[in-house]
């Protein structure tokens, strides 16, 4: 018994001596929802064509983003359209106007009364009747026949058919038909008759399990599936349902040149992937349009895989399954910009929110690429009038012409606030992103020089004495009987030497600063937080790895 206890104690001691790794949170592997067309860009008809893979599965995406298959077709080109009368032109385009049409996809049909247990049995039944197709209506499979542009025409067809229980079939404002492109032949009809994502139609290209499908849609090529939603019964909001790695394949060549060093591309791939995964928690797009990310710089630039090449795909493959963590949690604010100009900045100084891994760092690497990085060195000029106009157009601040311009810099040398003083002596202090927005600069790393006028601090001074007081309109005097009143122009002050007049100091708001020109000379292009893409390029050129790059720009992170 003692020997057994001794062995157990030894095993326990050995286990306690083993190194303890950080337990990182599991990463959500559900598809990303990328909004391709929405709001003012919704579409009436979506033409999909197989580039890699064969055919399409029809169905919907459930609340967990799993694709639920309802049917399929072997057609290589399909058109997904809302259930509204659409006319086919001789050129193969679907339009609303019937004039000159070669055919029509009508929104009324003959609806046969029998339900079917599955797609296969419904498809077999549809094959036995003229112009028959499978319709999945509110959870059940039916067979419908033909397409008509009016209820009366469909009713006449029902009467002529003479089948007991047959009715005119139509769909709700959320219905869809999938048609063989360039024809009026309906392949499948879908209508859950529910608003929102629950009523959206899903199409998953490629029926082979071992082939990663690529689909051409509006001249771009995409991995993944597509979700079509008629928000408020209108035209289609189109969302690409795509895995994180395939999303990065369609992003990487647009956020960074696919010809860049592989280690820089790997750093970009991981930063973009983790940032995208963070958007699943909800964003401004999610509430209104039911997707996580758009395709522009508002989120990240995503155009599909048309521009992807062997180098960019290799970068994605080599970091597949890896993520960036901070204290065991997925780092989802892995932001980046083109260049910082010599130093990044704390996120709290740009956006007001502190993230422990988004700290400003002096960047010695960008100097390697200063002569080749786009928009790296820049100059911007402003006049008193232009600054007044910018204050109003960007911030809706009504001011006089600006006669003084001062900056406040962070420990890394970036401008984190500016104070502008107008001819009335009023100060306007702007911080964070307002600095770049109002000034219209490429970055927040710049110096200001003044020419053509005076930029001394405005105010009023006692004649021949140092120091100033502020604008007289903000100063008050107390009389002997305690009455308080504003100090008028031409006032005098009592000093130890007697009485002296308060006179405008050089640069005071007298309206004489209109000849001032402020020249801003800076470096960098972007918001200055997180990773510098050109810095990543420079580090990779020096032989540094993607982990070196990521851990330099994101303080305290690990890559696993």
């Amino acid at each position: 018994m003692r020997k057994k206890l001794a062995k157990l104690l030894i095993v326990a001691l050995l286990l306690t001596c083993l190194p303890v790794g950080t337990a990182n949170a599991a990463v959500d592997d559900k598809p990303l929802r990328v909004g391709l067309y929405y709001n003012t860009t919704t579409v009436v008809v979506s033409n999909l064509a197989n580039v890699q893979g064969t055919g399409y599965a029809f169905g919907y995406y459930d609340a967990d983003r799993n694709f639920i298959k309802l049917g399929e077709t072997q057609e290589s080109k399909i058109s997904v359209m809302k259930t509204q009368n659409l006319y086919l032109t001789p050129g193969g385009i679907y339009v609303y106007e019937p004039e000159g049409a070669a055919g029509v996809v009508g929104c009324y049909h003959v609806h046969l009364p029998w339900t079917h247990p599955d797609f296969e049995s419904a498809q077999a039944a549809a094959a036995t009747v003229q112009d028959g197709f499978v319709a999945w209506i509110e959870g059940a499979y039916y067979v419908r026949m033909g397409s008509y542009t009016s209820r009366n025409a469909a009713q006449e067809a029902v009467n002529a058919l003479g089948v007991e229980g047959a009715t005119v079939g139509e769909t709700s404002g959320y219905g869809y038909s999938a048609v063989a492109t360039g024809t009026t032949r309906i392949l499948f009809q879908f209508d859950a008759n529910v608003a929102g994502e629950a009523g959206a139609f899903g199409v998953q290209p490629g029926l082979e399990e071992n082939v990663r499908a690529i689909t051409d849609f509006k001249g771009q090529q995409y991995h993944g599936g597509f979700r079509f939603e008629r928000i408020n019964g209108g035209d289609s909001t189109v969302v690409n349902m795509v895995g994180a790695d395939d999303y990065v394949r369609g992003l990487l060549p647009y956020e960074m040149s696919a010809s860049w060093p592989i280690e820089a591309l790997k750093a970009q791939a991981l930063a973009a992937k983790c940032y995208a995964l963070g958007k699943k928690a909800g964003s401004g797009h999610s509430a209104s349009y039911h997707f996580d990310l758009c395709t522009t710089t508002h989120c990240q630039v995503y155009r599909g895989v048309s521009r992807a090449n062997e180098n960019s795909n290799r970068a994605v493959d080599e970091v597949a399954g890896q993520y960036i963590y901070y204290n065991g949690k997925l780092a989802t604010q892995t932001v980046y910009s083109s260049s910082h100009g010599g130093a990044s900045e704390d996120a709290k100084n740009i956006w007001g929110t502190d993230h422990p891994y988004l700290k400003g760092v002096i960047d010695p690497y960008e100097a390697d690429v200063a002569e080749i990085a786009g928009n790296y060195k820049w100059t911007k000029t402003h006049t008193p009038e232009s600054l007044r106009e910018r204050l109003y157009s960007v911030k809706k601040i009504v001011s006089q012409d600006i006669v003084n311009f001062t900056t406040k810099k962070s420990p890394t040398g970036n401008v984190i606030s500016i104070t502008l003083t107008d001819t009335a002596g009023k100060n306007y202090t702007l911080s964070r992103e307002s600095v770049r927005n109002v000034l219209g600069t490429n970055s927040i790393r710049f110096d200001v020089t003044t020419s053509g006028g005076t930029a001394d601090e405005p105010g009023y001074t006692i004649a021949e004495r140092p120091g100033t007081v502020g604008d007289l309109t903000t100063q008050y005097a107390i009389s002997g009987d305690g009455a308080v009143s504003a100090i008028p122009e031409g006032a005098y002050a009592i000093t130890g030497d007697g009485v002296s007049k308060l006179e405008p100091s050089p640069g005071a708001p007298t309206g004489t600063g209109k000849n001032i020109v402020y020249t801003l000379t800076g470096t960098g292009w972007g918001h200055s937080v997180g990773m510098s893409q050109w810095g990543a390029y420079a580090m990779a050129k020096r032989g540094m790895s993607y982990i070196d790059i990521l851990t330099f720009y994101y303080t305290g992170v690990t890559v696993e």
Side-chain angles (χ1 to χ4, degrees):
M1 185 68 179
R2 288 180 179 177
K3 289 183 178 179
K4 288 182 179 180
L5 286 173
K7 288 181 179 179
L8 288 172
L9 286 171
I10 290 170
V11 171
L13 286 170
L14 287 172
L15 288 173
T16 58
C17 292
L18 290 174
V20 179
T22 302
N24 290 324
V27 175
D28 180 1
D29 61 355
K30 298 173 185 175
L32 289 164
R33 305 172 304 171
V34 186
L36 303 180
Y37 297 92
Y38 61 98
N39 195 10
T40 59
T41 64
T42 53
V43 295
V44 177
V45 178
S46 300
N47 297 324
L48 308 179
N50 292 145
V51 175
Q52 183 170 287
T54 303
Y56 303 87
F58 303 126
Y60 63 91
Y61 294 89
D62 68 13
D64 291 324
R65 309 189 187 189
N66 298 309
F67 180 72
I68 307 302
K69 182 178 176 181
L70 299 175
E72 65 179 48
T73 181
Q74 292 289 334
E75 293 284 341
S76 62
K77 295 181 180 181
I78 65 169
S79 297
V80 176
M81 58 186 66
K82 63 181 186 178
T83 48
Q84 185 170 331
N85 291 338
L86 289 168
Y87 297 87
L88 180 64
T89 70
I93 300 173
Y94 299 93
V95 297
Y96 288 129
E97 299 300 326
E99 186 176 352
V104 62
V105 181
C107 59
Y108 298 94
H109 319 278
V110 175
H111 181 89
L112 300 181
W114 309 287
T115 61
H116 300 269
D118 51 40
F119 173 75
E120 288 74 20
S121 60
Q123 187 178 42
T128 65
V129 297
Q130 185 176 0
D131 298 327
F133 59 90
V134 178
W136 189 86
I137 309 296
E138 298 181 44
Y141 289 99
Y142 294 92
V143 171
R144 288 179 167 179
M145 301 170 56
S147 63
Y148 305 90
T149 59
S150 70
R151 173 177 285 277
N152 288 339
Q155 185 62 58
E156 289 178 5
V158 170
N159 297 340
L161 184 64
V163 172
E164 184 178 354
T167 59
V168 173
E170 53 187 304
T171 60
S172 72
Y174 308 111
Y176 280 98
S177 293
V179 177
T181 299
T183 76
T184 59
R185 180 164 55 91
I186 299 176
L187 304 170
F188 188 81
Q189 196 167 76
F190 173 91
D191 186 16
N193 195 18
V194 178
E197 288 185 276
F201 180 41
V203 174
Q204 193 74 24
L207 301 177
E208 307 96 333
E209 292 185 3
N210 60 342
V211 177
R212 293 174 60 257
I214 298 177
T215 306
D216 183 278
F217 176 42
K218 288 187 175 290
Q220 299 289 351
Q221 295 180 1
Y222 300 94
H223 285 298
F226 300 87
R227 195 197 70 204
F228 303 90
E229 181 184 353
R230 295 176 62 181
I231 295 176
N232 299 323
D235 295 342
S236 293
T237 291
V238 185
V239 174
N240 186 199
M241 305 291 289
V242 62
D245 285 332
D246 281 340
Y247 166 76
V248 176
R249 292 179 198 279
L251 169 150
L252 192 53
Y254 297 93
E255 286 287 3
M256 183 176 281
S257 171
S259 65
W260 276 19
I262 189 70
E263 296 301 311
L265 288 167
K266 287 158 69 174
Q268 176 68 75
L270 270 178
K273 179 167 64 174
C274 292
Y275 180 80
L277 290 170
K279 289 292 186 178
K280 284 186 180 178
S283 66
H285 301 301
S286 182
S288 300
Y289 304 110
H290 312 139
F291 59 81
D292 306 313
L293 301 117
C294 67
T295 60
T296 72
T297 53
H298 177 273
C299 294
Q300 298 184 111
V301 178
Y302 173 75
R303 298 285 186 272
V305 297
S306 302
R307 195 184 288 182
N309 65 13
E310 182 179 353
N311 198 43
S312 64
N313 285 337
R314 175 190 161 199
V316 177
D317 290 339
E318 290 190 5
V319 296
Q322 297 182 35
Y323 304 93
I324 305 169
Y325 295 94
Y326 181 84
N327 280 352
K329 295 182 179 180
L330 184 70
T332 59
Q333 297 298 316
T334 46
V335 294
Y336 50 89
S337 61
S338 179
S339 60
H340 303 327
S344 61
E345 189 52 59
D346 290 4
K348 67 178 181 180
N349 289 334
I350 304 299
W351 298 313
T353 303
D354 188 26
H355 294 283
Y357 50 88
L358 296 180
K359 299 297 183 183
V361 295
I362 301 296
D363 187 341
Y365 305 108
E366 283 189 346
D368 294 357
V369 295
E371 300 305 320
I372 63 172
N375 299 295
Y376 189 79
K377 297 179 180 180
W378 54 267
T379 300
K380 181 83 174 180
T381 60
H382 276 294
T383 64
E385 295 93 332
S386 70
L387 287 173
R388 171 174 53 81
E389 291 169 359
R390 293 288 297 181
L391 278 172
Y392 181 75
S393 65
V394 177
K395 302 294 290 185
K396 298 297 182 266
I397 293 174
V398 178
S399 71
Q400 301 298 316
D401 287 346
I402 302 303
V403 294
N404 197 49
F405 186 142
T406 60
T407 65
K408 178 183 177 181
K409 294 187 177 182
S410 71
T412 57
N414 295 313
V415 176
I416 55 174
S417 73
I418 59 173
T419 299
L420 305 175
T421 307
D422 69 10
T423 54
K426 189 171 182 180
N427 293 327
Y428 307 91
T429 298
L430 305 169
S431 60
R432 300 173 185 164
E433 284 194 295
S434 293
V435 172
R436 195 160 58 105
N437 291 339
V438 168
L439 297 179
T441 58
N442 286 3
S443 74
I444 57 169
R445 195 168 185 82
F446 60 86
D447 294 311
V448 182
T449 56
T450 306
S451 60
T454 178
D456 294 339
E457 186 71 23
Y460 284 77
T461 183
I462 298 172
E464 299 180 357
R465 292 177 180 272
T468 63
V469 297
D471 174 15
L472 291 185
T473 61
T474 64
Q475 309 300 317
Y476 295 86
I478 302 177
S479 67
D481 60 3
V484 178
S485 60
I487 298 176
E489 294 289 340
Y492 289 80
I494 299 174
T495 71
D497 300 329
V499 178
S500 297
K501 185 178 182 180
L502 286 174
E503 297 179 346
S505 64
T510 59
T512 60
K514 289 185 177 293
N515 294 325
I516 296 174
V517 175
Y518 301 103
T519 301
L520 286 60
T521 305
T523 50
W525 191 22
H527 52 62
S528 300
V529 182
M531 186 179 74
S532 161
Q533 292 170 311
W534 276 103
Y537 174 96
M539 292 178 74
K541 280 290 190 179
R542 289 194 185 192
M544 303 173 80
S545 74
Y546 70 102
I547 294 179
D548 294 329
I549 296 168
L550 294 171
T551 54
F552 173 73
Y553 286 112
Y554 304 114
T555 304
V557 302
T558 59
V559 178
E560 300 178 40

